[in-house]
Amino acid sequence: MGNTEKFTGKAEVYAQFRPDYPETFVRDLILENHLSPSSVVADIGSGTGILTGQLLNQGLNVIAVEPNAEMRQIAESAFGSNPLFTSVPATAEQTTLKTGSVDLVTVAQAFHWFNPEQFKEECRRILKPDGKVVLIWNSRVPHAPLIRETASVCRKFCPVFHGFSGGTREDPAPFQTFFRNGRFAVRKYDHPLSYSLNAFLGRHLSASYAPKGQKGQPYIDALTQIFQKHQKRGRVRFPNVTCSYSGRV
């Protein structure tokens, strides 16, 4: 299965249960990159449009580039009437965007699916002079007991699990290679989440590595046991940090 198809059949649960990004982060993103209502942001690997929607709410022109039809259609249903929104069916490596047409490239929760060298060349092509790329993840706090226990369950029941978000952020080498001269800025924002059982299960079932159908029932059962262990008044606190890595390419 290619990367484009990994979320086929999971778009609705992804849209419903994946978290957004802190408003403080979005405001800082705009200020640090001197964005204005005339600015154009290319949100690459935009998925169901979680970050896209937050950027649109700030009055920015957003080109959402997403190869998966199911994911893209959810964003189009949500934002299609917004004149600031453009949906493009394309990959990160071949966006089809015009050369020198973009003020900023954002990548939320998707860089680990790209060919980094090809994507870097494409960013160089579509960005205006001195335009930056910002790579963003909502990251679980790895040493929190709840996160350690869910990781153990994922390793047991998900054969293709290799760490959350592909383990990319645990190794700085991909960023040092991707950004120009190995220079990039790191920003971190505390962004804890609160989940009911349904949302807790949905968050995990939205992952690319989560088993589907009947194969997923033992996974669900194990996650339910973890939820019941940690819940207070029917909810669990899910330790989470939003991390961004930004620089020129």
Side-chain angles (χ1 to χ4, degrees):
M1 180 187 296
N3 289 342
T4 300
E5 291 78 37
K6 285 184 180 293
F7 289 97
T8 297
K10 297 185 177 184
E12 290 187 7
V13 71
Y14 192 105
Q16 185 175 358
F17 296 113
R18 284 294 179 109
D20 62 3
Y21 302 92
E23 288 302 320
T24 303
F25 159 73
V26 177
R27 289 195 297 269
D28 288 349
L29 182 73
I30 292 170
L31 290 172
E32 291 173 5
N33 292 283
H34 309 290
L35 301 179
S36 68
S38 64
S39 299
V40 176
V41 179
D43 190 22
I44 310 296
S46 52
T48 60
I50 294 172
L51 179 61
T52 293
Q54 292 183 267
L55 297 173
L56 290 170
N57 287 340
Q58 296 297 318
L60 299 170
N61 295 278
V62 184
I63 303 174
V65 178
E66 171 56 48
N68 183 281
E70 291 183 10
M71 304 279 274
R72 193 174 62 251
Q73 287 165 7
I74 287 179
E76 291 171 349
S77 295
F79 311 120
S81 62
N82 189 329
L84 300 177
F85 171 74
T86 303
S87 179
V88 175
T91 66
E93 298 82 3
Q94 294 181 310
T95 65
T96 73
L97 304 187
K98 293 181 180 179
T99 299
S101 62
V102 172
D103 295 283
L104 180 72
V105 168
T106 58
V107 181
Q109 223 73 30
F111 178 70
H112 48 285
W113 299 119
F114 301 167
N115 179 304
E117 285 301 318
Q118 293 179 19
F119 177 55
K120 177 165 63 175
E121 290 303 315
E122 184 69 347
C123 288
R124 287 174 174 169
R125 186 184 69 79
I126 66 175
L127 277 167
K128 296 178 182 178
D130 291 328
K132 293 183 179 179
V133 179
V134 184
L135 312 177
I136 308 133
W137 281 272
N138 270 315
S139 304
R140 297 164 173 84
V141 177
H143 302 299
L146 177 68
I147 305 304
R148 290 202 309 267
E149 292 173 29
T150 55
S152 178
V153 166
C154 290
R155 284 191 292 270
K156 182 176 180 180
F157 294 103
C158 307
V160 296
F161 177 73
H162 299 297
F164 298 121
S165 293
T168 303
R169 289 156 289 96
E170 299 170 8
D171 179 7
F175 304 129
Q176 292 167 348
T177 302
F178 179 74
F179 289 107
R180 187 189 304 174
N181 299 322
R183 299 178 64 181
F184 56 93
V186 181
R187 302 282 186 271
K188 294 186 179 181
Y189 300 79
D190 191 33
H191 191 37
L193 307 169
S194 176
Y195 286 145
S196 65
L197 174 59
N198 186 52
F200 181 75
L201 294 176
R203 173 67 182 86
H204 289 86
L205 290 172
S206 73
S208 61
Y209 49 77
K212 300 178 183 179
Q214 293 183 346
K215 292 181 179 179
Q217 192 57 50
Y219 180 56
I220 292 172
D221 293 343
L223 289 171
T224 300
Q225 291 181 8
I226 292 175
F227 179 90
Q228 297 299 348
K229 176 182 175 181
H230 290 275
Q231 64 86 22
K232 292 183 178 179
R233 298 181 181 179
R235 302 189 73 84
V236 292
R237 185 180 186 276
F238 194 87
N240 181 77
V241 174
T242 298
C243 302
S244 71
Y245 306 79
S246 63
R248 296 180 175 86
V249 294

